[in-house]
Amino acid sequence: MSDGALEVHVLRSEAAIREQHDAWRALAVREGNPFLTPEWLEACTVHLGVRPFVVVVRSADEVCGVVPLVVRSRGPLSTIGFPGDRLGDGFRPLARPPLDPETIGHCAGRAIARSRERIGEVELFNSDASKPWPQRLADGLGSRWTILARADDIEDPVIEVAGRTWDEYLAESVSRRTRKETRRRLRRLEEVGESHYARATAETAGKDTDTLLRLHDLRWDELGGSDFFDPSDRATIRYFNEVAAAR
């Protein structure tokens, strides 16, 4: 499919998707969002029972935009949305300047509208519905589609630490109360006994993820338990962390 000077392709097979991994990943890294990477989509297709629907936009034979989507089968009609949208946030079209997310979103809408999939709804969960691109995606879809959008009124939980020490981060980026409480807890940790910090590696990422989820469960057991992570969610996060650590 073409959209003016742009070529729009929908990738469904694992082989076709893998051919675009490098160019796609470069766009995701530029955005700084792991939930838009090919590795995240792979983890979701393996463990969440969804089918890939990756919209790739090319100009002059170069990838200039990607919208990683998945199809979920629900009765006679399917839904389409971002992969693992209940587990991640900041979902949006990836665009390489001078193109913008609005243009790539419009291309994705047209690609969905022309698909042979029996899609009843487009879900844009944990995306910023206040941005212009969802409307442009809707314009590409046409009037017969239903778009469900939900954006929690919170900022993306991203901590900028590049070029700063731990003490500089505490001094510059958190409130006085948080800084005091963090240091108090660190002192308590030191009182318990010897401790150290280590970065997860390809060999330890799976085990480290299990430890993180176990600590999550212990924390919420005191408050009646947590049902946020079901077994497939946990498997998805573990798989992604292992693949990401290997890179």
Side-chain angles (χ1 to χ4, degrees):
M1 184 184 87
S2 64
D3 195 329
L6 302 177
E7 294 183 359
V8 184
H9 306 271
V10 176
L11 309 183
R12 310 299 304 272
S13 71
E14 181 179 350
I17 291 171
R18 284 194 176 277
E19 287 182 2
Q20 305 302 324
H21 268 198
D22 291 343
W24 169 7
R25 187 183 299 108
L27 292 176
V29 170
R30 181 179 178 276
E31 288 288 331
N33 190 334
F35 302 115
L36 296 173
T37 61
E39 287 77 18
W40 179 251
L41 179 129
E42 180 180 328
C44 293
T45 56
V46 169
H47 291 289
L48 296 182
V50 295
R51 292 175 282 121
F53 189 103
V54 180
V55 180
V56 175
V57 181
R58 304 179 70 91
S59 176
D61 205 34
E62 292 186 0
V63 174
C64 56
V66 177
V67 187
L69 301 170
V70 293
V71 177
R72 305 176 180 92
S73 298
R74 294 177 180 173
L77 296 178
S78 300
T79 65
I80 192 168
F82 288 101
D85 52 11
R86 195 174 72 89
L87 301 174
D89 55 24
F91 294 101
R92 57 189 175 274
L94 292 167
R96 178 168 58 83
L99 295 182
D100 51 38
E102 292 76 39
T103 301
I104 304 303
H106 185 264
C107 292
R110 293 190 63 193
I112 294 170
R114 297 185 180 189
S115 169
R116 295 181 180 180
E117 286 277 358
R118 292 176 54 82
I119 298 171
E121 294 177 336
V122 178
E123 298 178 335
L124 302 180
F125 291 167
N126 284 326
S127 304
D128 191 345
S130 66
K131 299 293 185 182
W133 71 262
Q135 182 57 55
R136 291 292 291 141
L137 186 145
D139 293 341
L141 284 170
S143 60
R144 71 182 183 88
W145 294 82
T146 299
I147 295 184
L148 303 178
R150 182 187 71 223
D152 296 332
D153 189 21
I154 60 173
E155 296 182 0
D156 289 351
V158 176
I159 299 175
E160 298 291 345
V161 297
R164 293 188 292 178
T165 66
W166 170 248
D167 288 334
E168 287 172 341
Y169 164 71
L170 287 180
E172 300 169 2
S173 302
V174 301
S175 66
R176 180 179 179 182
R177 179 179 179 182
T178 299
R179 184 163 55 248
K180 182 178 179 180
E181 180 66 15
T182 299
R183 286 172 173 162
R184 183 185 69 82
R185 294 191 177 192
L186 286 173
R187 287 195 297 272
R188 287 187 59 187
L189 183 62
E190 292 173 355
E191 293 170 358
V192 171
E194 181 180 354
S195 61
H196 69 279
Y197 298 93
R199 182 176 181 177
T201 66
E203 291 73 26
T204 68
K207 181 179 179 181
D208 292 339
T209 301
D210 293 339
T211 299
L212 173 63
L213 293 173
R214 185 172 69 254
L215 292 173
H216 168 85
D217 292 337
L218 290 172
R219 170 68 179 87
W220 285 96
D221 280 347
E222 302 173 358
L223 303 174
S226 168
D227 60 358
F228 187 77
F229 295 116
D230 64 25
S232 60
D233 293 338
R234 293 168 186 264
T236 300
I237 294 170
R238 193 182 201 277
Y239 185 102
F240 173 75
N241 286 347
E242 288 180 318
V243 174
R247 294 195 58 80

